Amino acid sequence: MRLRLIPETTTIGFLKLGKAAVFASIGAMIASVILFFALGLNYGIDFRGGTLVMAEMPEERPIGEYRDILNGLDLGQVAVTEVSSGEGGAGQTILMRVGITGDDPDAQSAVVTELRTVLDAAFPGISYLQVDNVGAKVSGELVQAGVLAVTLAILAILFYIWIRFEWQFSVAAVASLVHDVILTIGVFSLLQIEFNLSIIAAILTIVGYSLNDTVIVFDRVRENLRKYKSKPLDDLIDLSINETLSRTIMTSGTTLIALLALYFFGGSVIKGFTFAMIWGVVVGTYSSIYIASMLLVRLGLNRDGSKPTGKAGTQFADVEA
């Protein structure tokens, strides 16, 4: 007997809430843009440049004590964060950042040496878990590369969906991906979670995950367009979403179980990445059901999906993907 989380056949009217969902998403996207320009992102060392030191202390000390020592070195902006406390006899883990050190490798090495010398003297028994140094030029290039990677990924997806489906599917899919990326940027700006290269990797993964879910629904929509030539488009899309609902819940559910385990037990180093992934799975599933599907309704479709037209990507429809 197979495990079923939902009945084999469902008749949920997803698009009844479609308009409300679209208006809510537009509001959330506008809020995300405002947050980005008002608060900005909490860029990590990858994008801002500087020196990062994660160290384990033999005993717990006040955060202000570490900050005072680093400020005395006159190395620029200083940030100190407690990763884990010294409760239960365990060592206290501290994450320390200092400002941009320039692009000279010798100067960067000198900063790291100075930091370690001062910390060794102030906190005997200190253990260094991570030491990173990124110059201003490199961090600027990483920002450009990250933006370019996300942009090229979305453009490549636009081309792929255009070839595989009609242009309406392509526009709807890319709009839902842009929606996911903007909301992810917004929530990182709101919560001021560190934004680094691992978050760019998470965003690219979110794009791929959301696209996979969207394509599954679109494939079923295209099949049903051929089977039910007179069924209203709203009802046909609802039917398609219901027919793929079991797969969507199983895939999203199992992915979330793994991600939640990583978030709570994987340590602070990957916490930002796993948070982005958890958020991406939720918002990607939502956008596949509501944003992409509602846009299909608004853009209209060729009712006979088996007949390619010269005006859309379905001139390649007879080629199996």
Side-chain angles (χ1 to χ4, degrees), residues 171-232:
V171 171
V174 170
S176 69
L177 296 181
V178 172
H179 164 273
D180 298 345
V181 172
I182 290 176
L183 291 194
T184 301
I185 297 296
V187 76
F188 268 80
S189 181
L190 175 64
L191 300 178
Q192 287 295 293
I193 300 172
E194 182 176 306
F195 194 89
N196 50 36
L197 280 178
S198 68
I199 306 305
I200 295 293
I203 289 175
L204 291 173
T205 307
I206 290 167
V207 167
Y209 183 93
S210 180
L211 174 67
N212 178 65
D213 205 30
T214 302
V215 167
I216 294 296
V217 176
F218 281 1
D219 264 331
R220 189 56 58 90
V221 170
R222 185 168 61 175
E223 292 173 9
N224 287 335
L225 280 171
R226 298 168 182 170
K227 289 169 61 178
Y228 307 103
K229 300 184 186 300
S230 61
K231 183 184 285 289

Side-chain angles (χ1 to χ4, degrees), residues 144-164:
Q144 296 175 6
V147 173
L148 182 62
V150 175
T151 303
L152 289 178
I154 292 177
L155 290 176
I157 289 166
L158 175 66
F159 179 70
Y160 165 74
I161 301 293
W162 177 80
I163 289 177
R164 181 163 180 176

Side-chain angles (χ1 to χ4, degrees):
M1 182 178 180
R2 292 185 298 171
L3 173 65
R4 288 195 177 277
L5 299 179
I6 61 172
E8 185 172 0
T9 302
T10 58
T11 56
I12 302 172
F14 290 100
L15 296 193
K16 289 180 180 178
L17 299 175
K19 289 183 179 179
V22 169
F23 282 121
S25 291
I26 292 173
M29 290 172 68
I30 293 172
S32 295
V33 173
I34 293 173
L35 285 170
F36 175 75
F37 286 106
L39 302 179
L41 292 170
N42 178 23
Y43 291 110
I45 188 173
D46 299 330
F47 295 141
R48 189 166 51 190
T51 301
L52 178 148
V53 176
M54 182 181 289
E56 186 175 14
M57 307 298 178
E59 59 184 19
E60 188 171 8
R61 303 283 188 95
I63 294 296
E65 189 173 335
Y66 304 111
R67 190 176 291 111
D68 291 341
I69 291 174
L70 294 180
N71 283 329
L73 298 176
D74 195 24
L75 294 175
Q77 183 180 3
V78 170
V80 181
T81 306
E82 183 181 65
V83 177
S84 64
S85 65
E87 296 177 358
Q92 181 186 28
T93 304
I94 299 296
L95 185 65
M96 295 164 280
R97 301 182 185 85
V98 298
I100 295 175
T101 58
D103 296 310
D104 184 357
D106 293 334
Q108 294 173 353
S109 178
V111 168
V112 173
T113 301
E114 183 179 5
L115 275 173
R116 296 186 67 151
T117 300
V118 171
L119 291 173
D120 284 339
F123 309 105
I126 183 175
S127 175
Y128 297 97
L129 306 178
Q130 179 182 353
V131 179
D132 289 325
N133 211 327
V134 179
K137 181 178 179 181
V138 173
S139 63
E141 292 174 350
L142 289 175
V143 171
Q144 296 175 6
V147 173
L148 182 62
V150 175
T151 303
L152 289 178
I154 292 177
L155 290 176
I157 289 166
L158 175 66
F159 179 70
Y160 165 74
I161 301 293
W162 177 80
I163 289 177
R164 181 163 180 176
F165 301 97
E166 294 185 7
W167 68 268
Q168 293 95 331
F169 288 97
S170 180
V171 171
V174 170
S176 69
L177 296 181
V178 172
H179 164 273
D180 298 345
V181 172
I182 290 176
L183 291 194
T184 301
I185 297 296
V187 76
F188 268 80
S189 181
L190 175 64
L191 300 178
Q192 287 295 293
I193 300 172
E194 182 176 306
F195 194 89
N196 50 36
L197 280 178
S198 68
I199 306 305
I200 295 293
I203 289 175
L204 291 173
T205 307
I206 290 167
V207 167
Y209 183 93
S210 180
L211 174 67
N212 178 65
D213 205 30
T214 302
V215 167
I216 294 296
V217 176
F218 281 1
D219 264 331
R220 189 56 58 90
V221 170
R222 185 168 61 175
E223 292 173 9
N224 287 335
L225 280 171
R226 298 168 182 170
K227 289 169 61 178
Y228 307 103
K229 300 184 186 300
S230 61
K231 183 184 285 289
L233 189 56
D234 291 40
D235 295 340
L236 187 142
I237 292 176
D238 265 340
L239 173 65
S240 303
I241 296 172
N242 277 283
E243 288 178 344
T244 58
L245 187 60
S246 177
R247 178 262 173 205
T248 298
I249 291 178
M250 290 295 290
T251 303
S252 300
T254 52
T255 304
L256 282 174
I257 289 172
L259 289 173
L260 287 170
L262 287 173
Y263 182 80
F264 288 109
F265 306 112
S268 60
V269 175
I270 62 170
K271 206 156 194 173
F273 175 83
T274 51
F275 174 83
M277 288 296 301
I278 291 169
W279 170 260
V281 169
V282 174
V283 78
T285 302
Y286 160 81
S287 67
S288 297
I289 292 175
Y290 286 106
I291 306 304
S293 299
M294 281 300 295
L295 277 173
L296 281 183
V297 174
R298 292 289 171 252
L299 293 172
L301 287 172
N302 172 26
R303 293 299 306 179
D304 187 355
S306 63
K307 295 180 180 179
T309 69
K311 298 181 180 179
T314 44
Q315 61 259 40
F316 301 98
D318 56 338
V319 179
E320 290 297 328

